[in-house]
Amino acid sequence: MSLNTAQKVAVETLRGPLLVLAGAGTGKTHTVTHRIARLIQSGIEPNRILAVTFTNKAAKEMQQRIGELLNGKQGSGYGKRERPETSTFHSLCVRILRRHIAKIGYPNQFAIYDRGDQESIARQVLHEFRISDASLRPGEFLAKISTWKNSGVSPEAACNNIFDPKDYLAARAFGRYQAAMKTVGAVDFDDLLILTEELFSKFPDVLQTESGRFDHILVDEYQDTNLCQYKIVKGLALPHRNLCVVGDDDQAIYGWRGAEVKHILNFTKDWRDAKVVRLEENYRSTKQILDWANRLIVFNKFRHDKKLMSPLNGEPPQILQCKDGEVEAKTVIAKINERITAGSVSPRNIAVLFRTNEQPRAFEMEFRAAKIPYTVVGTQSFFDKKEVRDIMAYLKVLNRPKDDVSLLRIVNTPPRGIGQTTVQKLTEQALKENKPVWEVIQSMTNDELRITEPLTSNVSDALNRFRRFIEQQRNVLCRNFTVENLKQFIGEIQYEKEINRLYPDENERKDRWDSIGEIINAAAEHVNNELWSFLDETSLAGPGFGSSKDKQKGANAITLMTLHAAKGLEFPEVFIVGMEEGILPHHRSVNNDDVYAVDEERRLCYVGLTRAKERLTLSLAMQRLKWGKMRPTIPSRFLYEITGQAENPNYKKVADK
């Protein structure tokens, strides 16, 4: 695909701050990759270019397409060793922290804790503060901490202006959680950003070193940046001012996790000499679909002015008004079935989008009754499976034995005679001496462990065997992390025998053992023989790596997914269901004191509309069951806005069935 006029301007603007407002379906990735290729062709060394985005998939796609442009079409000597640095924010911060984190008291080989590891630390901290699950669950505690971190709120500041009892409890324990993480040399995903920003603010020499590595910076999906990401980007770009940010304020839908749309809205205030390029030519959707999207989004007052245009003509979108939630599901599935039976569309080309996780239930039941294949996006992550977490915990312990969460997970997995009572004694001693459990085990001999009740000789022997085994395997895998060594290690711990012991069903045993095979596959794809590097790579892989979602990519099935999950995707035919006040817009936004809360819901609806390429259908129920009682609903205000009618939108009436 050649470049249109606006895309050419973005590609050829190689110096100074640049804001590229890339509307939905306007060839954003095409423009970005051509711009990076143009920079390299103009004489900029590839390794002096940094391109940052939000997903590993996007980063890899960007790198691949740049290579195709330069090698396939331009004949450049663009090779593996001289590439732009394309990565996610978190991957970038990991590399920076590996180089400098010792300045703020962490080990260079710090561990990156996932959700399960975080919950283990959270439980310990809440237990120390005598906070019960009834008062504050570990998951709630971590969610509040994440919100504070993404908003740039420190543990000290979190204690100010607290009105909610749970916020008060979480604020009290926030500082202890951070201290506990630091004690075991671990960080969580939010810390990767926060600690990088802390390094830049406290150590100007670190910022100078890191900013000096690049002459050009490009940031994708800039509307999704939070405060930390914004500060990191600004710090890195200030010396040379060659900053290109790409995004669309009309698709800013992640305010609930700390993203601030004001960063893209205020770009020209931060960078007064910035050039602004608008990409408005849509290559995805029909004119009729875009007319609805354009009419909807203008109701948001604070936005960059732009309007999507398309040369494609198609069918007018439809609105289905149904008697109740059950009829809505039946009507939508009947329409889908009719289209599939007629051969007009394949199941894989249809998406049913919803606002809340509770909505799919009725649709799943109807899909099953109609024997229509479907998949609900958002299945269990590969790295959340027990067997995978067990093996990864072993590898984390080999890399850093002071990782208490991982150590306590595997110390008796598979069983080796170290029971829960022993684990509790070791943990209590570690807390008493303020040291990791591994150091307590190391200081132990058969007749010496400074605990209230001495261990039996069998338990003491088991602990010593475990210690010797870990030390021996560290010498192997930390020095030479290869597929063969990993296979041998898994054989040494007899994990296949453990799977056979736990799962009587043969098919389940095979599936779980296949998951171990996927770890081996990941190791085979790893580019070097360093264990810590492999752990970094897998920790940053994110939800969905190796998951059943990936296995279903080729399946010819209807996709059910949330509007949030649909961002960045496209489908020939889209149904957006539950177009009612309280659902879309969500009741939390409608009842929010923030007068702009509904704006994000409108952007979410806009994202849904612009996923559709050829056909778009919206549906609503006039009443729904709530707590066992049928209650009337109110049509979404967005229906009135998109149809351009202040009153009585022209709903397509559907006979109650």
Side-chain angles (χ1 to χ4, degrees):
M1 184 176 74
S2 60
L3 298 168
N4 63 36
T5 302
Q7 290 172 336
K8 284 180 182 176
V9 174
V11 168
E12 295 297 331
T13 303
L14 303 182
R15 293 286 175 182
L18 172 66
L19 169 61
V20 180
L21 294 169
T26 57
K28 178 191 67 172
T29 305
H30 182 71
T31 306
V32 166
T33 51
H34 272 75
R35 186 176 187 277
I36 294 174
R38 184 71 186 90
L39 282 169
I40 296 170
Q41 290 167 339
S42 73
I44 303 298
E45 291 295 325
N47 62 3
R48 301 292 298 174
I49 301 170
L50 170 65
V52 188
T53 187
F54 280 83
T55 67
N56 288 294
K57 179 182 176 182
K60 288 178 181 177
E61 181 185 359
M62 191 182 296
Q63 189 72 267
Q64 180 182 348
R65 289 172 70 165
I66 295 166
E68 289 171 355
L69 280 173
L70 292 172
N71 286 329
K73 297 181 180 179
Q74 307 298 338
S76 168
Y78 177 83
K80 289 186 177 180
R81 292 186 178 180
E82 49 173 23
R83 293 185 171 190
E85 188 166 318
T86 59
S87 71
T88 63
F89 271 102
H90 289 90
S91 295
L92 170 67
C93 289
V94 167
R95 292 193 291 274
I96 293 171
L97 292 174
R98 291 289 181 210
R99 292 190 282 266
H100 306 289
I101 199 171
K103 287 181 175 288
I104 51 177
Y106 286 81
N108 287 329
Q109 295 303 320
F110 57 85
I112 303 172
Y113 273 12
D114 61 17
R115 182 69 177 193
D117 298 332
Q118 286 179 260
E119 286 193 359
S120 296
I121 293 288
R123 266 189 211 92
Q124 294 175 19
V125 170
L126 293 175
H127 179 70
E128 284 182 46
F129 280 79
R130 291 183 168 80
I131 299 172
S132 66
D133 277 6
S135 301
L136 181 67
R137 296 193 303 274
E140 292 177 300
F141 176 44
L142 292 174
K144 291 180 184 296
I145 287 178
S146 183
T147 299
W148 283 324
K149 287 182 176 182
N150 280 301
S151 301
V153 177
S154 67
E156 296 76 22
C159 294
N160 300 327
N161 302 317
I162 294 294
F163 302 102
D164 181 86
K166 288 190 177 183
D167 283 351
Y168 171 73
L169 295 174
R172 283 181 56 213
F174 184 7
R176 178 67 188 113
Y177 167 83
Q178 288 298 100
M181 291 283 285
K182 193 170 185 178
T183 297
V184 296
V187 301
D188 59 31
F189 266 44
D190 293 327
D191 288 332
L192 295 175
L193 304 175
I194 289 169
L195 296 178
T196 300
E197 197 275 321
E198 181 182 339
L199 272 171
F200 285 1
S201 63
K202 289 184 177 179
F203 300 94
D205 58 317
V206 171
L207 177 57
Q208 183 178 6
T209 298
E210 293 300 324
S211 62
R213 296 177 61 237
F214 305 107
D215 296 321
H216 288 266
I217 296 175
L218 184 142
V219 182
D220 192 15
E221 304 287 6
Y222 191 65
Q223 77 280 353
D224 294 336
T225 53
N226 63 24
L227 183 60
C228 267
Q229 291 160 337
Y230 166 80
K231 289 181 177 179
I232 289 167
V233 167
K234 193 170 184 180
L236 290 173
L238 270 174
H240 51 72
R241 299 180 62 78
N242 293 321
L243 172 64
C244 171
V245 302
V246 185
D248 182 9
D249 48 292
D250 290 337
Q251 296 186 75
I253 60 174
Y254 297 118
W256 50 275
R257 69 182 189 195
E260 297 188 35
V261 68
K262 69 180 182 182
H263 296 154
I264 194 168
L265 293 177
N266 294 337
F267 187 79
T268 54
K269 293 180 181 178
D270 289 340
W271 307 86
R272 295 286 180 179
D273 55 337
K275 186 169 187 174
V276 179
V277 178
R278 288 172 170 80
L279 306 185
E280 299 172 300
E281 191 170 337
N282 181 283
Y283 296 95
R284 174 191 299 157
S285 307
T286 65
K287 177 182 180 298
Q288 289 77 8
I289 291 171
L290 295 184
D291 283 346
W292 276 28
N294 287 328
R295 279 203 294 264
L296 171 70
I297 202 62
V298 294
F299 281 86
N300 278 3
K301 293 181 180 179
F302 295 97
R303 59 184 292 268
H304 288 290
D305 184 38
K306 53 192 170 302
K307 183 178 181 180
L308 295 179
M309 299 170 288
S310 173
L312 304 172
N313 269 308
E315 301 177 19
Q318 291 186 333
I319 297 174
L320 306 179
Q321 181 174 292
C322 306
K323 176 183 175 182
D324 55 39
E326 182 180 356
V327 171
E328 179 192 34
K330 288 180 182 296
T331 303
V332 168
I333 276 65
K335 280 195 161 289
I336 289 174
N337 200 17
E338 179 184 330
R339 298 265 297 149
I340 293 173
T341 303
S344 304
V345 65
S346 296
R348 66 165 57 91
N349 291 328
I350 301 174
V352 178
L353 308 182
F354 44 88
R355 175 64 180 87
T356 68
N357 289 320
E358 295 76 27
Q359 287 175 264
R361 182 192 58 79
F363 292 89
E364 288 193 68
M365 291 176 66
E366 293 302 325
F367 276 128
R368 290 175 182 175
K371 294 183 170 54
I372 298 175
Y374 72 92
T375 178
V376 181
V377 173
T379 53
Q380 183 187 34
S381 166
F382 174 74
F383 285 104
D384 284 340
K385 296 179 178 180
K386 179 188 183 302
E387 60 274 14
V388 177
R389 289 183 64 81
D390 286 346
I391 298 301
M392 296 306 294
Y394 265 107
L395 296 181
K396 289 176 183 179
V397 169
L398 296 183
N399 184 56
R400 273 190 54 77
K402 294 179 182 180
D403 182 342
D404 277 0
V405 170
S406 298
L407 179 69
L408 295 177
R409 182 181 184 93
I410 56 94
V411 70
N412 200 44
T413 302
R416 52 173 58 89
I418 304 171
Q420 192 57 43
T421 301
T422 303
V423 169
Q424 185 175 347
K425 290 178 181 179
L426 293 171
T427 304
E428 288 173 353
Q429 187 64 29
L431 287 171
K432 182 179 177 182
E433 297 185 16
N434 195 27
K435 61 171 58 172
V437 172
W438 176 251
E439 291 186 7
V440 174
I441 294 175
Q442 278 187 313
S443 67
M444 187 198 75
T445 63
N446 285 342
D447 58 355
E448 177 186 334
L449 182 59
R450 296 184 299 277
I451 53 180
T452 306
E453 299 177 21
L455 302 174
T456 66
S457 59
N458 287 342
V459 171
S460 187
D461 288 344
L463 280 168
N464 273 311
R465 284 195 299 271
F466 173 72
R467 174 181 55 79
R468 288 194 297 269
F469 173 72
I470 294 298
E471 290 171 347
Q472 174 194 354
Q473 294 299 322
R474 288 195 77 205
N475 287 331
V476 176
L477 283 170
C478 287
R479 292 182 178 180
N480 192 21
F481 182 71
T482 65
V483 168
E484 290 307 314
N485 285 343
L486 179 57
K487 285 182 180 177
Q488 186 174 346
F489 170 74
I490 292 172
E492 290 277 350
I493 61 175
Q494 299 183 319
Y495 200 82
E496 186 173 14
K497 184 178 178 182
E498 173 71 350
I499 288 177
N500 293 337
R501 180 182 73 86
L502 291 175
Y503 308 106
D505 181 76
E506 183 178 353
N507 291 328
E508 185 173 9
R509 289 201 301 268
K510 182 180 183 303
D511 287 344
R512 291 184 180 273
W513 186 243
D514 284 347
S515 294
I516 304 300
E518 284 299 312
I519 299 177
I520 301 294
N521 293 341
E525 294 170 358
H526 189 56
V527 295
N528 59 45
N529 295 340
E530 294 173 311
L531 174 57
W532 66 266
S533 177
F534 175 73
L535 290 172
D536 276 359
E537 185 177 288
T538 52
S539 294
L540 294 168
F545 178 86
S547 70
S548 56
K549 172 184 172 183
D550 292 325
K551 294 176 184 177
Q552 292 164 343
K553 279 181 180 176
N556 190 17
I558 309 291
T559 300
L560 274 73
M561 67 195 317
T562 64
L563 286 158
H564 283 99
K567 185 173 180 288
L569 303 179
E570 58 183 45
F571 301 89
E573 189 158 346
V574 168
F575 290 80
I576 303 178
V577 300
M579 292 292 298
E580 300 142 35
E581 291 289 301
I583 296 181
L584 186 65
H586 195 273
H587 68 84
R588 282 197 301 267
S589 299
V590 173
N591 299 325
N592 198 311
D593 291 336
D594 182 356
V595 294
Y596 304 114
V598 172
D599 286 5
E600 181 156 321
E601 292 290 301
R602 187 176 287 107
R603 293 193 291 265
L604 187 58
C605 185
Y606 175 85
V607 165
L609 299 178
T610 54
R611 298 314 93 194
K613 297 170 68 176
E614 300 165 10
R615 290 171 61 96
L616 172 66
T617 303
L618 312 184
S619 68
L620 71 155
M622 300 310 292
Q623 55 182 355
R624 285 190 186 274
L625 276 173
K626 294 182 181 179
W627 294 95
K629 292 184 179 181
M630 196 66 76
R631 302 180 188 275
T633 66
I634 301 173
S636 171
R637 68 191 73 185
F638 301 154
L639 290 172
Y640 294 83
E641 295 169 359
I642 61 179
T643 55
Q645 300 179 45
E647 296 179 1
N648 301 320
N650 185 25
Y651 299 140
K652 180 177 175 63
K653 297 292 183 179
V654 178
D656 294 338
K657 298 181 180 180

